[in-house]
Amino acid sequence: MIQFRDTELVNERLELNSKTEHYYLGHHLTLRSCTLVIGVPASALTIARTRLIDCSIEVKKSLKHFRWDEVFVKGCRFTGTLSGNDFGRWPDFEAGGIEDCDFSGAQLDGCRFIGCDASTLRFPSWPCFTVLDPARRSRELAALPWPGQLGIVVGTFSKYPPSTAAVTFSATRLAKESGTTEHEIRAVLEQVDGVKL
């Protein structure tokens, strides 16, 4: 196991790319103006009680199903592909949070932003799209005429934590898996308030 903990690093470059090691970032770790290169799967990465401030986070391989719930992220820029990642402050974790971050250069799919102010975040543009307040608006959204099997995905919004501020999807993947097209998905989304294309 390779550990970074109990320190503050400034203007450093951390490359997490070992094929055999598990990386542990935390407890009491602060990375400030650093470049964090993630080249390992979620199963080889733990980030706990860590603060990332004004960092560049480069995801080199698709990072799937990773929870950033014990990470406070502020002023960071994300690039690469993230699928099924959760960011922000969960009700049962005090350490997490996200604000002033830029995901416009990333590909997000099924990524949730919980217990945060989504207006401080920059989301990727189409063919990614972001639905604001999906849990609170779950009934309204489920009632829309979604193409293909997309209504099943929208139906899961009611199971999200109530404090979910936003969720971002890839229309490309949803179209492929739901038996529809990006164009048909966009046609519905353009009729709905609280969606960022």
Side-chain angles (χ1 to χ4, degrees):
M1 180 181 289
I2 298 174
Q3 296 187 45
F4 299 91
R5 60 184 300 165
D6 301 311
T7 190
E8 177 168 335
L9 300 176
V10 181
N11 292 320
E12 296 283 340
R13 181 179 179 89
L14 277 67
E15 297 211 24
L16 315 182
N17 54 19
S18 171
K19 289 182 169 52
T20 57
E21 295 288 346
H22 186 98
Y23 289 94
Y24 180 89
L25 279 62
H27 281 54
H28 311 296
L29 173 67
T30 299
L31 301 182
R32 196 177 298 275
S33 301
C34 290
T35 298
L36 179 62
V37 181
I38 301 174
V40 294
S43 59
L45 180 62
T46 301
I47 307 179
R49 304 276 179 194
T50 294
R51 296 170 61 81
L52 305 176
I53 312 295
D54 299 326
C55 292
S56 174
I57 297 151
E58 302 172 7
V59 178
K60 293 303 185 185
K61 295 181 179 178
S62 180
L63 185 63
K64 298 179 180 177
H65 307 295
F66 189 75
R67 280 182 64 167
W68 300 76
D69 52 5
E70 289 195 67
V71 188
F72 178 77
V73 189
K74 180 174 181 174
C76 294
R77 183 171 186 278
F78 286 77
T79 57
T81 302
L82 298 97
S83 174
N85 283 224
D86 286 337
F87 295 89
R89 183 182 296 260
W90 281 67
D92 49 347
F93 288 93
E94 288 303 308
I98 187 166
E99 58 188 63
D100 302 322
C101 288
D102 183 356
F103 291 88
S104 62
Q107 293 292 315
L108 303 183
D109 187 29
C111 292
R112 300 184 299 181
F113 299 85
I114 296 162
C116 64
D117 180 355
S119 70
T120 72
L121 307 176
R122 287 187 61 204
F123 296 103
S125 56
W126 188 260
C128 290
F129 66 92
T130 302
V131 178
L132 302 176
D133 291 321
R136 188 177 56 78
R137 299 171 52 219
S138 61
R139 281 191 182 157
E140 164 204 342
L141 294 166
L144 294 169
W146 295 103
Q149 301 296 310
L150 203 54
I152 295 169
V153 174
V154 175
T156 65
F157 292 176
S158 63
K159 297 180 175 68
Y160 286 6
S163 60
T164 304
V167 60
T168 302
F169 288 102
S170 161
T172 306
R173 182 194 62 84
L174 286 178
K176 192 180 300 181
E177 293 184 4
S178 299
T180 186
T181 66
E182 291 178 27
H183 178 75
E184 288 177 305
I185 293 171
R186 186 170 182 132
V188 176
L189 293 171
E190 286 176 343
Q191 302 171 34
V192 185
D193 290 333
V195 172
K196 294 182 177 288
L197 298 173

